[in-house]
Amino acid sequence: MHIHLDALAVARTCAPDEPAILNRPHAAARAARFFVEKFPGKSLYAVKANPSPDLIRILWDSGVTHYDVASIGEVRMVRATLPDATLCFMHPVKSPSAIAEAYGVHGVRVFSLDSLEELDKIVRATTQANGGELPTDLTLCVRLRVSSEYSELSLAAKFGCELSHARELLQAARQVADCLGICFHVGSQAMSPHAYVQALEKARAAIVDAAVTVDIIDVGGGFPSIYPGMNPPPLEDYFALIDRTYESLPVSYSAELWCEPGRALCAEYNSMIVRVEKRRENELYINDGAYGALFDAAHVGWRFPVRVLRAEGAAMSEELVPYSFYGPTCDDMDHMEGPFELPADIRVGDYIEIGMLGAYGAAMKTAFNGFDANEVFVVSDEPMASQYRGDRRDSRVSDNVVSLR
Ligand SMILES: *Cc1c(COP(=O)(O)O)cnc(C)c1O
């Protein structure tokens, strides 16, 4: 595939009529190598953040061997893409047929659970898939409910067993598990490493109370990326605090530390080029939106970095003003509040690059109202922000005006 220099080059040479997704393979590879080399344990990629097979192959080539999958669809897709990957079925509520197919057909041995009912379901479905005998090779991870107070997106309400029920569940799971783990999720985009310390302390309490041997501590996802208004501490700080707290836990001497990054491994992989189709005061009508890659911008007010790409090279105002966006569908909800800072004289026909859409962006596109077309281009420039460049201060988030000579 032809590699373009950057978004401006794509806008200039291709003038895309539909929203265009830009892939940055080098950025995803760099994020993967960072986790593989620096996280003091094993890194599982949380596939739901961006299930693109191209991305998954890049992560594999960069050393990510384990994949956190949450549905039988993800199991089948990752297995078809990576025959040798280790798949971990980390959704705590699964259908019996999904468990049986994952175990029997795709070689999945790792399952998470947060209730006795799910444990029973896993035992029955894997026994059936194992020709009627209880398997002796199961890794079972009990999901604890932990606080999301440090995170931008809560994951505290839906899953996870309360500490008061953890003893019963850990002891029951220990009876059938070859390997027993404890997992949790501190919420997505955790803005402080203390989120993990607090959750690990809860894991400690559960281990002590249940008095069982624990072989895996899985600190889940939540590792942050950089967005406008969200500048988290460096990931090294997270890794150091997690490592120190983990080392003090009463786990088996051969225990393993795992994590499940989604966002942090793929946020920098994609940006998008949209076109301004109409301007009404400071509202820009663009050709992607709430039902496209901007789901989070519309529904949880997430802000993404933007820069204008003016294709015909005329002078452009230096003054930046705040805009909101409307997407292309006929729905009032197709609105992104922002604010998105762009030049005062932006006009119909201008293109905008919207950055950091690799996590929960490109993956969210629907075909609602017939707006599902998009082209994909590969570019070689830096993402609009990066956790992995060494110099975190030199962020191009503010460098949002690019004009053609
Ligand atoms: C969504 C999810 C992840 C990834 O979370 P990020 O915040 O994207 O890192 C990891 N583990 C589980 C179980 C999840 O549901």
Side-chain angles (χ1 to χ4, degrees):
M1 195 185 222
H2 180 68
I3 298 177
H4 297 261
L5 179 61
D6 57 15
L8 187 62
V10 174
R12 190 168 48 190
T13 56
C14 307
D17 262 329
E18 310 284 354
I21 295 289
L22 305 185
N23 289 348
R24 287 180 176 79
H26 58 289
R30 179 170 62 182
R33 286 194 304 267
F34 184 94
F35 267 84
V36 168
E37 286 165 17
K38 300 202 171 172
F39 182 76
K42 197 169 279 169
S43 301
L44 289 61
Y45 172 56
V47 171
K48 79 166 186 286
N50 188 331
S52 147
D54 290 343
L55 169 64
I56 284 165
R57 270 184 225 108
I58 292 165
L59 299 178
W60 173 263
D61 289 342
S62 307
V64 176
T65 55
H66 287 52
Y67 293 79
D68 161 4
V69 286
S71 62
I72 196 64
E74 288 183 354
V75 170
R76 291 174 189 153
M77 186 278 293
V78 180
R79 180 52 80 227
T81 309
L82 304 176
D84 299 324
T86 302
L87 306 189
C88 306
F89 208 153
M90 303 307 274
H91 193 306
V93 185
K94 299 166 284 298
S95 77
S97 64
I99 298 167
E101 182 183 329
Y103 184 89
V105 180
H106 305 291
V108 179
R109 296 294 176 265
V110 185
F111 298 88
S112 87
L113 62 144
D114 65 0
S115 68
L116 287 169
E117 292 74 29
E118 187 74 9
L119 177 60
D120 189 51
K121 211 193 282 173
I122 294 168
V123 166
R124 283 168 193 266
T126 55
T127 299
Q128 175 222 319
N130 194 42
E133 258 179 69
L134 178 68
T136 55
D137 55 2
L138 289 177
T139 291
L140 299 181
C141 293
V142 170
R143 170 111 169 228
L144 281 186
R145 185 163 172 177
V146 300
S147 162
S148 275
E149 68 184 280
Y150 292 103
S151 301
E152 296 290 329
L153 282 177
S154 173
L155 286 169
K158 191 168 177 182
F159 299 131
C161 118
E162 293 293 347
L163 201 49
S164 51
H165 294 121
R167 183 206 305 203
E168 194 182 15
L169 190 51
L170 283 167
Q171 291 175 347
R174 181 74 274 181
Q175 301 296 311
V176 289
D178 175 43
C179 252
L180 178 65
I182 291 183
C183 61
F184 52 75
H185 198 302
V186 299
S188 203
Q189 185 76 3
M191 294 299 289
S192 164
H194 288 285
Y196 295 90
V197 175
Q198 207 174 60
L200 284 166
E201 289 306 330
K202 209 162 198 180
R204 181 198 309 281
I207 297 168
V208 169
D209 186 45
V212 291
T213 303
V214 168
D215 309 297
I216 294 163
I217 298 288
D218 176 354
V219 300
F223 297 94
S225 296
I226 301 172
Y227 302 91
M230 294 184 220
N231 215 338
L235 290 174
E236 284 93 339
D237 293 7
Y238 290 73
F239 295 177
L241 263 185
I242 288 170
D243 191 33
R244 196 188 319 154
T245 314
Y246 166 73
E247 287 297 335
S248 75
L249 294 182
V251 290
S252 81
Y253 77 96
S254 58
E256 290 186 18
L257 175 65
W258 292 7
C259 69
E260 304 167 353
R263 180 186 303 283
L265 286 182
C266 61
E268 300 177 18
Y269 179 57
N270 295 122
S271 64
M272 177 170 63
I273 299 177
V274 297
R275 191 169 60 192
V276 179
E277 308 289 17
K278 169 181 168 167
R279 174 173 178 177
R280 184 175 77 181
E281 309 275 321
N282 283 8
E283 297 167 325
L284 303 179
Y285 292 63
I286 59 177
N287 56 357
D288 195 82
Y291 299 91
L294 297 175
F295 183 95
D296 280 350
H299 296 286
V300 295
W302 207 269
R303 291 176 57 211
F304 294 94
V306 290
R307 61 186 165 206
V308 69
L309 316 163
R310 183 165 285 176
E312 75 273 21
M316 193 153 20
S317 169
E318 304 248 310
E319 185 197 352
L320 296 181
V321 298
Y323 293 90
S324 65
F325 295 157
Y326 275 112
T329 70
C330 301
D331 190 340
D332 259 9
M333 273 195 355
D334 197 354
H335 179 242
M336 284 65 63
E337 185 67 50
F340 302 98
E341 304 267 326
L342 288 160
D345 66 346
I346 197 163
R347 60 190 190 213
V348 171
D350 283 339
Y351 287 96
I352 299 169
E353 181 179 19
I354 306 177
M356 308 301 284
L357 283 173
Y360 309 108
M364 307 294 270
K365 275 182 160 295
T366 74
F368 179 54
N369 229 173
F371 295 101
D372 61 338
N374 61 265
E375 284 185 89
V376 177
F377 298 91
V378 178
V379 293
S380 61
D381 67 337
E382 278 293 317
M384 287 168 80
S386 181
Q387 290 272 57
Y388 308 106
R389 272 193 304 162
D391 180 9
R392 289 270 319 273
R393 239 163 270 277
D394 172 32
S395 164
R396 282 172 64 179
V397 173
S398 56
D399 173 20
N400 61 350
V401 180
V402 179
S403 67
L404 225 133
R405 284 148 291 136

